[in-house]
């Protein structure tokens, strides 16, 4: 079995094109479903590509960059894969969810998330059905199955189905540690009656979605698929040593890593784990340096550290951000990385509600690159909360330029227009929201009230009926899925 490892997940899209993949079922193990609506203009650019190399030029070099000139990234590349005819069915194998919610509460939560996805229609939602623990239906027109890895044998799988794994699948949050040994999941996948001769695997470390210490999970899985018992047992031992480190058995981990290095002296992952377990600072630094010399991806990266807080939604406070800012001042980074770091710091400060710091990083970002629509949106939102609607509107208009923020920006601009008494402008903004989120009832309800204030009874009634239709369809679906 051939294995292909990528640093970031969206890089698989041009490779699928290069290999001539068409109309396949994709068995997709990932902590996130990277299926989001991409504008028709951006899709059209991809459809004009004649080669995989041309397609690759439309991939964002980093997922935190704005959409300008790019057509896909790690959070949305599956929709282009569907539009290009590469995949026809998506089986999202998501990690088990630890929850004390009832089945009905969980169903309502899932539906709420789906309704707030741009482009998801009422027809998409109505297509959903729950068979045991397996959810089936359509999303954005694509046939989708959502299940646990243990449910895969129950599915009707074409023998030429593809297997694609993002190793962030194995990390439980907020614990930020593995919930299972990858070998156990591999054992289940290996039993599936498939004929495909390759598997794609993604690390997702540089984007911050996967902790650096578990980067080797990709190599672990590759060794298992290749049948390389010597390497797979080595990585298995590393996995268990890492678990012992979590159980405060540092001395045993140091001894175990040193033993592994006698057999595998060129393993950067072993040196890195050893650097985490070693209590003597100088020795730990020496092991860190050896890991970096063997594999530059283990080099300390302030951008990766900043991205981790945003990508994995880790807990942080002002002190953490100030430490990262100080590291950034003394780090050697190129201009693009510097811009992305300041943008991400701005996002993180927005979570703390600190307008001044967000604005500071917005200004720095502008000097290096250009305005970033997502920072515009965060600044506009903070200004609106603080009671400055006119200043907020100037930032929010800038947020209309990006697929990620266009819907939220229209919603907030609509609220501002209502407060200012410009109901016609408000209706135009909320119509855009309703178009982008056709299965979400709230915009229709807001529009019904706005039209009523405008004296437009016909449109008010039409929007109220749409609101009722969505509410009724949702209630029926919740009951159907819960039963």
């Amino acid at each position: 079995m051939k294995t292909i490892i990528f640093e970031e997940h969206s890089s698989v899209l041009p490779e699928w094109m290069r290999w001539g993949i068409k109309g396949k079922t994709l068995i997709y193990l990932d902590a996130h479903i990277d299926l989001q609506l991409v504008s028709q203009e951006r899709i059209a650019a991809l459809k004009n590509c004649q080669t995989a190399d041309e397609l690759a030029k439309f991939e964002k070099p980093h997922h935190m960059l704005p959409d300008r000139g790019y057509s896909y990234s790690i959070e949305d590349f599956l929709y282009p894969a569907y539009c290009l005819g590469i995949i026809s069915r998506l089986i999202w194998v998501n990690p088990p969810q630890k929850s004390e919610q009832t089945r009905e509460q969980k169903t309502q939560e899932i539906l709420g998330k789906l309704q707030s996805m741009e482009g998801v229609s009422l027809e998409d939602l109505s297509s959903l059905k729950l068979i045991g623990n397996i959810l089936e239906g359509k999303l954005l027109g694509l046939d989708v199955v959502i299940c646990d890895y243990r449910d895969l044998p129950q599915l009707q799988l074409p023998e030429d189905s593809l297997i694609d794994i993002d190793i962030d699948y194995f990390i439980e949050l907020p614990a930020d540690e593995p919930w299972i040994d990858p070998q156990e999941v591999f054992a289940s996948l290996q039993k599936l009656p498939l004929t495909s001769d390759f598997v794609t695997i993604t690390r997702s470390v540089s984007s911050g979605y996967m902790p650096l210490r578990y980067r080797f999970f990709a190599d672990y899985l590759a060794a298992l698929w290749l049948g390389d018992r010597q390497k797979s047992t080595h990585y298995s031992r590393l996995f268990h040593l890492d678990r012992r480190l979590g159980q405060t058995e540092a001395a045993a981990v140091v001894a175990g890593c040193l033993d592994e290095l006698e057999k595998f002296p060129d393993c950067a992952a072993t040196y890195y784990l050893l650097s985490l377990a070693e209590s003597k600072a100088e020795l730990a630094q020496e092991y860190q340096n050896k890991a970096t010399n063997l594999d530059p991806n283990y080099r300390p990266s302030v951008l990766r550290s900043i991205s981790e807080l945003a990508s994995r939604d880790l807990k942080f406070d002002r002190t953490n951000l100030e430490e990262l800012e100080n590291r950034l001042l003394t780090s050697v980074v190129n201009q693009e990385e510097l811009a992305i770091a300041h943008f991400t710091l701005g996002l993180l400060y927005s979570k703390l509600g600190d307008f001044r710091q967000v604005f500071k990083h917005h200004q720095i970002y502008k000097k290096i690159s250009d305005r970033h629509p997502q920072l515009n949106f965060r600044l506009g939102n903070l200004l609106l909360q603080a009671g400055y609607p006119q200043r907020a509107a100037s930032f929010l208009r800038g947020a209309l330029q990006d697929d990620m923020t266009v819907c939220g920006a229209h919603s907030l601009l609509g609220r501002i227009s209502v407060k200012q008494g410009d109901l016609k402008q408000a209706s135009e903004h909320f119509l855009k929201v309703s178009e982008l989120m056709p299965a979400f009832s709230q915009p229709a309800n807001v529009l019904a009230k706005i039209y009523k204030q405008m004296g437009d009874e016909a449109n008010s009634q039409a929007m109220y009926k749409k609101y009722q239709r969505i509410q009724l369809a949702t209630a029926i679906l919740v009951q159907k899925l819960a039963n």
Side-chain angles (χ1 to χ4, degrees):
M1 177 74 77
K2 183 181 179 182
T3 58
I4 303 98
I5 298 177
F6 300 94
E7 290 302 318
E8 293 299 334
H9 214 161
S10 49
S11 297
V12 73
L13 182 60
E15 293 308 310
W16 283 335
M17 182 181 184
R18 196 185 311 279
W19 302 326
I21 304 299
K22 287 290 181 185
K24 299 295 186 185
T25 290
L26 181 66
I27 302 169
Y28 187 76
L29 287 80
D30 195 312
H32 319 87
I33 183 167
D34 300 320
L35 180 68
Q36 294 183 28
L37 187 69
V38 174
S39 70
Q40 288 308 302
E41 293 81 6
R42 294 166 72 200
I43 292 294
L46 299 181
K47 288 184 175 179
N48 287 331
C49 293
Q50 299 298 310
T51 67
D53 289 339
E54 288 178 14
L55 193 72
K57 290 177 182 177
F58 287 95
E59 178 188 7
K60 288 185 186 180
H62 194 283
H63 71 290
M64 289 297 193
L65 289 170
D67 290 341
R68 300 185 199 99
Y70 302 113
S71 289
Y72 64 96
S73 187
I74 59 175
E75 72 280 350
D76 59 12
F77 71 96
L78 289 177
Y79 184 68
Y82 164 59
C83 293
L84 294 172
I86 292 171
I87 62 173
S88 59
R89 185 185 183 208
L90 174 67
I91 299 174
W92 178 34
V93 184
N94 67 339
Q97 304 297 315
K98 292 183 178 179
S99 176
E100 296 180 0
Q101 293 174 308
T102 65
R103 186 174 176 131
E104 184 172 350
Q105 288 171 330
K106 189 64 181 174
T107 300
Q108 288 177 325
E109 181 185 329
I110 292 170
L111 284 178
K113 289 179 180 178
L114 294 178
Q115 284 178 310
S116 62
M117 279 179 65
E118 291 179 28
V120 172
S121 66
L122 205 54
E123 290 72 24
D124 283 338
L125 292 184
S126 299
S127 72
L128 297 174
K129 57 183 178 180
L130 194 60
I131 304 170
N133 293 316
I134 302 170
L135 185 64
E136 297 183 2
K138 284 184 179 290
L139 285 178
L140 304 178
L142 173 63
D143 286 328
V144 173
V145 176
I146 303 175
C147 67
D148 186 279
Y149 79 94
R150 290 162 292 196
D151 298 320
L152 288 170
Q154 302 175 44
L155 302 178
Q156 295 288 327
L157 297 172
E159 63 179 13
D160 62 351
S161 298
L162 304 179
I163 294 177
D164 179 85
I165 305 169
D166 190 322
I167 60 172
D168 71 357
Y169 168 79
F170 298 101
I171 300 303
E172 179 187 351
L173 294 175
D176 212 29
E177 60 187 21
W179 58 271
I180 194 171
D181 186 336
Q183 189 166 210
E184 292 184 41
V185 177
F186 162 78
S188 291
L189 295 174
Q190 192 185 36
K191 293 175 185 175
L192 298 175
L194 305 180
T195 58
S196 178
D197 61 355
F198 69 92
V199 172
T200 48
I201 304 167
T202 299
R203 297 188 193 274
S204 294
V205 173
S206 59
S207 58
Y209 283 97
M210 186 71 181
L212 178 62
R213 67 193 286 177
Y214 302 119
R215 176 183 171 82
F216 75 91
F217 279 18
D219 307 289
Y220 187 8
L221 287 167
L224 289 166
W225 284 110
L226 293 168
D228 187 335
R229 182 162 177 76
Q230 189 178 32
K231 282 189 177 179
S232 64
T233 53
H234 162 59
Y235 289 124
S236 176
R237 290 192 295 271
L238 277 192
F239 174 84
H240 289 286
L241 283 170
D242 181 88
R243 277 199 164 172
R244 294 184 71 180
L245 182 58
Q247 297 162 357
T248 65
E249 298 180 36
V253 175
V254 168
C257 286
L258 291 172
D259 188 48
E260 288 302 313
L261 286 170
E262 289 185 13
K263 307 183 192 79
F264 299 90
D266 297 326
C267 180
T270 305
Y271 274 114
Y272 186 74
L273 180 58
L274 185 54
S275 74
L276 298 178
E278 178 55 58
S279 58
K280 296 177 182 177
E282 287 186 15
L283 204 48
Q285 186 60 58
E286 183 182 329
Y287 294 142
Q288 163 75 63
N289 293 341
K290 286 184 177 180
T292 298
N293 292 337
L294 288 166
D295 183 347
N297 289 292
Y298 282 93
R299 182 181 293 115
S301 164
V302 64
L303 177 56
R304 185 180 62 232
S305 298
I306 293 168
S307 297
E308 285 176 334
L309 295 181
S311 298
R312 300 208 299 277
D313 204 21
L314 302 177
K315 289 183 178 180
F316 64 90
D317 56 24
R318 186 179 304 279
T319 302
N320 300 137
L321 298 188
E322 288 171 353
E323 288 172 356
L324 288 168
E325 287 179 288
N326 290 332
R327 274 184 61 191
L328 186 59
L329 289 173
T330 58
S331 297
V332 179
V333 294
N334 62 41
Q335 286 295 93
E336 184 177 87
E337 291 174 332
L338 185 63
I340 295 167
H342 281 292
F343 160 71
T344 311
L345 283 166
L347 287 188
L348 294 169
Y349 271 114
S350 75
K351 292 185 177 182
L352 300 180
D354 191 330
F355 174 83
R356 289 180 181 276
Q357 286 295 324
V358 181
F359 187 72
K360 180 187 84 172
H361 288 288
H362 166 74
Q363 292 295 92
I364 296 171
Y365 181 90
K366 268 176 47 180
K367 289 177 183 176
I368 304 169
S369 183
D370 197 354
R371 290 176 180 269
H372 198 302
Q374 289 188 54
L375 276 188
N376 278 0
F377 179 77
R378 299 298 180 100
L379 286 165
N381 191 25
L382 288 172
L383 282 167
L384 187 57
Q385 291 177 30
Y388 300 101
Q390 287 186 315
R391 289 181 65 194
S394 66
F395 285 104
L396 292 170
R397 282 190 285 271
L400 296 173
Q401 309 306 313
D402 194 279
D403 280 3
M404 187 74 74
T405 52
V406 62
C407 191
H410 274 301
S411 182
L412 294 184
L413 284 166
R415 284 172 51 190
I416 292 170
S417 296
V418 168
K419 287 184 178 181
Q420 293 175 338
D422 190 343
L423 298 181
K424 185 176 184 301
Q425 186 71 57
S427 68
E428 290 172 2
H429 283 301
F430 282 111
L431 274 171
K432 282 289 186 182
V433 178
S434 188
E435 289 170 10
L436 289 166
M437 302 171 66
F440 192 42
S441 64
Q442 194 57 32
N445 191 33
V446 172
L447 279 163
K449 294 175 182 178
I450 290 173
Y451 284 130
K452 193 171 186 66
Q453 284 182 266
M454 293 171 66
D456 188 343
E457 195 62 34
N459 273 324
S460 178
Q461 285 298 316
M463 281 299 163
Y464 188 66
K465 286 178 181 177
K466 180 180 179 180
Y467 167 73
Q468 289 182 311
R469 188 167 67 251
I470 296 172
Q471 288 284 91
L472 179 60
T474 303
I476 292 170
L477 187 55
V478 167
Q479 189 173 22
K480 181 179 83 171
L481 295 179
N483 293 333

